[in-house]
Coordinates of all heavy atoms in Angstrom, one line a residue:
M1 N -185.3 -210.3 27.7 CA -186.0 -209.1 27.2 C -185.0 -208.0 26.7 O -185.4 -207.0 26.2 CB -186.9 -208.5 28.3 CG -188.0 -209.4 28.6 SD -188.8 -208.9 30.2 CE -189.3 -207.2 29.9
G2 N -183.7 -208.3 26.9 CA -182.7 -207.3 26.6 C -182.3 -206.4 27.8 O -181.7 -205.3 27.6
S3 N -182.6 -206.9 29.0 CA -182.2 -206.2 30.2 C -182.7 -204.8 30.3 O -181.9 -203.9 30.6 CB -180.7 -206.3 30.4 OG -180.3 -207.6 30.4
P4 N -184.0 -204.5 30.1 CA -184.5 -203.1 30.2 C -184.3 -202.5 31.6 O -184.5 -203.2 32.6 CB -185.9 -203.3 29.8 CG -186.3 -204.7 30.1 CD -185.1 -205.5 29.9
D5 N -184.1 -201.2 31.6 CA -183.9 -200.5 32.9 C -184.6 -199.2 32.7 O -184.2 -198.3 31.9 CB -182.4 -200.3 33.2 CG -182.2 -199.7 34.6 OD1 -183.2 -199.3 35.2 OD2 -181.0 -199.5 34.9
P6 N -185.8 -199.0 33.4 CA -186.3 -199.9 34.5 C -187.2 -201.0 33.8 O -187.6 -200.9 32.7 CB -187.2 -198.9 35.3 CG -187.7 -197.9 34.3 CD -186.5 -197.7 33.3
V7 N -187.5 -201.9 34.7 CA -188.5 -203.0 34.3 C -189.5 -203.1 35.5 O -189.1 -203.0 36.7 CB -187.8 -204.3 34.1 CG1 -187.1 -204.9 35.3 CG2 -188.8 -205.4 33.6
R8 N -190.8 -203.1 35.2 CA -191.8 -203.3 36.2 C -191.9 -204.7 36.6 O -192.1 -205.6 35.7 CB -193.2 -202.8 35.7 CG -193.2 -201.6 34.8 CD -192.8 -200.3 35.6 NE -192.8 -199.2 34.7 CZ -192.2 -198.0 34.9 NH1 -191.4 -197.9 36.0 NH2 -192.2 -197.0 34.0
L9 N -191.7 -205.0 37.9 CA -192.0 -206.3 38.4 C -193.3 -206.2 39.2 O -193.4 -205.6 40.2 CB -190.8 -206.8 39.3 CG -191.0 -208.2 39.9 CD1 -191.1 -209.3 38.9 CD2 -189.9 -208.5 40.9
V10 N -194.3 -206.9 38.6 CA -195.7 -206.7 39.1 C -196.1 -208.0 39.7 O -196.0 -209.1 39.1 CB -196.6 -206.3 38.0 CG1 -198.0 -206.1 38.5 CG2 -196.1 -205.1 37.3
E11 N -196.7 -208.0 40.9 CA -197.3 -209.2 41.5 C -198.8 -208.9 41.7 O -199.2 -207.9 42.3 CB -196.7 -209.7 42.8 CG -197.3 -211.0 43.2 CD -196.8 -211.6 44.5 OE1 -195.9 -211.0 45.1 OE2 -197.3 -212.7 44.8
L12 N -199.7 -209.8 41.2 CA -201.1 -209.7 41.4 C -201.5 -210.4 42.6 O -201.3 -211.6 42.8 CB -201.8 -210.4 40.2 CG -201.3 -209.9 38.8 CD1 -202.0 -210.8 37.7 CD2 -201.7 -208.5 38.5
G13 N -202.1 -209.7 43.6 CA -202.6 -210.3 44.8 C -201.4 -210.9 45.6 O -201.3 -212.2 45.7
P14 N -200.6 -210.1 46.2 CA -199.3 -210.6 46.8 C -199.5 -211.3 48.2 O -198.5 -211.7 48.8 CB -198.5 -209.4 46.9 CG -199.2 -208.3 46.2 CD -200.6 -208.7 46.2
G15 N -200.7 -211.5 48.7 CA -200.8 -212.1 50.0 C -200.1 -211.3 51.1 O -200.3 -210.1 51.2
R16 N -199.3 -212.0 51.9 CA -198.5 -211.3 52.9 C -197.3 -210.6 52.4 O -196.6 -209.9 53.1 CB -198.1 -212.4 53.9 CG -199.2 -212.9 54.8 CD -198.6 -214.1 55.6 NE -199.4 -214.5 56.7 CZ -199.2 -215.7 57.3 NH1 -198.2 -216.5 57.0 NH2 -200.1 -216.1 58.3
G17 N -197.0 -210.9 51.1 CA -195.8 -210.4 50.5 C -194.6 -211.4 50.5 O -193.5 -211.0 50.2
T18 N -194.9 -212.6 51.0 CA -193.9 -213.6 51.1 C -193.2 -213.9 49.8 O -191.9 -214.0 49.7 CB -194.5 -214.9 51.7 OG1 -195.1 -214.5 52.9 CG2 -193.4 -215.9 52.0
L19 N -193.9 -214.1 48.7 CA -193.4 -214.5 47.5 C -192.4 -213.4 47.0 O -191.3 -213.7 46.6 CB -194.5 -214.8 46.4 CG -194.0 -215.4 45.1 CD1 -195.2 -216.1 44.4 CD2 -193.5 -214.3 44.1
I20 N -192.9 -212.2 46.9 CA -192.0 -211.1 46.4 C -190.8 -210.9 47.2 O -189.7 -210.5 46.8 CB -192.9 -209.8 46.1 CG1 -192.2 -208.9 45.2 CG2 -193.2 -209.1 47.4 CD1 -192.1 -209.3 43.8
S21 N -191.0 -211.0 48.5 CA -189.8 -210.9 49.4 C -188.7 -211.9 49.2 O -187.5 -211.6 49.0 CB -190.3 -211.0 50.9 OG -189.2 -210.9 51.8
D22 N -189.2 -213.2 49.0 CA -188.2 -214.2 48.7 C -187.6 -214.0 47.3 O -186.4 -214.3 47.1 CB -188.9 -215.6 48.8 CG -189.3 -216.0 50.2 OD1 -188.7 -215.4 51.2 OD2 -190.2 -216.8 50.4
A23 N -188.4 -213.6 46.4 CA -187.9 -213.4 45.0 C -186.9 -212.3 45.0 O -185.8 -212.4 44.3 CB -189.1 -213.0 44.1
L24 N -187.1 -211.2 45.7 CA -186.1 -210.1 45.7 C -184.8 -210.5 46.4 O -183.7 -210.1 46.0 CB -186.7 -208.9 46.4 CG -187.9 -208.2 45.7 CD1 -188.5 -207.1 46.5 CD2 -187.5 -207.7 44.3
R25 N -184.9 -211.3 47.4 CA -183.7 -211.8 48.1 C -182.9 -212.7 47.1 O -181.7 -212.5 47.0 CB -184.1 -212.6 49.3 CG -182.9 -213.1 50.2 CD -183.2 -213.8 51.4 NE -183.9 -215.1 51.1 CZ -185.2 -215.2 51.3 NH1 -186.0 -214.3 51.8 NH2 -185.8 -216.4 51.0
A26 N -183.5 -213.6 46.4 CA -182.8 -214.4 45.5 C -182.2 -213.6 44.3 O -181.1 -213.9 43.8 CB -183.8 -215.5 44.9
A27 N -182.9 -212.5 44.0 CA -182.4 -211.7 42.8 C -181.1 -210.9 43.2 O -180.5 -210.3 42.3 CB -183.5 -210.7 42.4
R28 N -180.7 -211.0 44.4 CA -179.4 -210.3 44.7 C -178.2 -210.9 44.0 O -177.2 -210.2 43.8 CB -179.1 -210.5 46.2 CG -180.0 -209.6 47.1 CD -179.8 -209.9 48.6 NE -180.7 -209.1 49.4 CZ -180.9 -209.4 50.7 NH1 -180.3 -210.3 51.3 NH2 -181.8 -208.6 51.4
I29 N -178.4 -212.1 43.5 CA -177.2 -212.7 42.7 C -177.2 -212.1 41.3 O -176.2 -212.4 40.6 CB -177.3 -214.2 42.7 CG1 -178.5 -214.7 41.8 CG2 -177.4 -214.8 44.1 CD1 -178.5 -216.2 41.6
V30 N -178.2 -211.3 40.9 CA -178.2 -210.6 39.6 C -178.3 -209.1 39.9 O -179.4 -208.6 39.8 CB -179.3 -211.1 38.7 CG1 -179.1 -210.6 37.3 CG2 -179.3 -212.6 38.7
P31 N -177.3 -208.5 40.4 CA -177.4 -207.1 40.9 C -178.0 -206.1 39.8 O -178.8 -205.2 40.2 CB -175.9 -206.7 41.2 CG -175.2 -208.0 41.5 CD -175.9 -209.0 40.6
A32 N -177.6 -206.3 38.6 CA -178.2 -205.4 37.5 C -179.7 -205.5 37.4 O -180.4 -204.5 37.2 CB -177.5 -205.7 36.2
F33 N -180.2 -206.7 37.6 CA -181.7 -206.9 37.6 C -182.3 -206.2 38.8 O -183.3 -205.5 38.6 CB -181.9 -208.4 37.6 CG -183.4 -208.8 37.7 CD1 -184.3 -208.3 36.8 CD2 -183.8 -209.6 38.8 CE1 -185.7 -208.7 37.0 CE2 -185.2 -210.0 38.9 CZ -186.1 -209.5 38.0
R34 N -181.8 -206.5 40.0 CA -182.4 -205.8 41.1 C -182.3 -204.3 41.0 O -183.3 -203.6 41.4 CB -181.6 -206.2 42.4 CG -182.3 -207.3 43.2 CD -181.5 -207.7 44.4 NE -181.6 -206.6 45.4 CZ -182.4 -206.6 46.5 NH1 -183.3 -207.5 46.7 NH2 -182.3 -205.6 47.3
N35 N -181.2 -203.8 40.5 CA -181.1 -202.3 40.4 C -182.1 -201.7 39.3 O -182.5 -200.6 39.4 CB -179.7 -202.0 40.0 CG -178.7 -202.2 41.1 OD1 -179.0 -202.3 42.2 ND2 -177.4 -202.4 40.7

């Protein structure tokens, strides 16, 4: 997308939050994305 900052990361119906929690942990390897 051209690395927009900010970018909305939206989850529909996140359940317990497990998916987004795991996704954010994995995203640590791309610091600019997490930031």
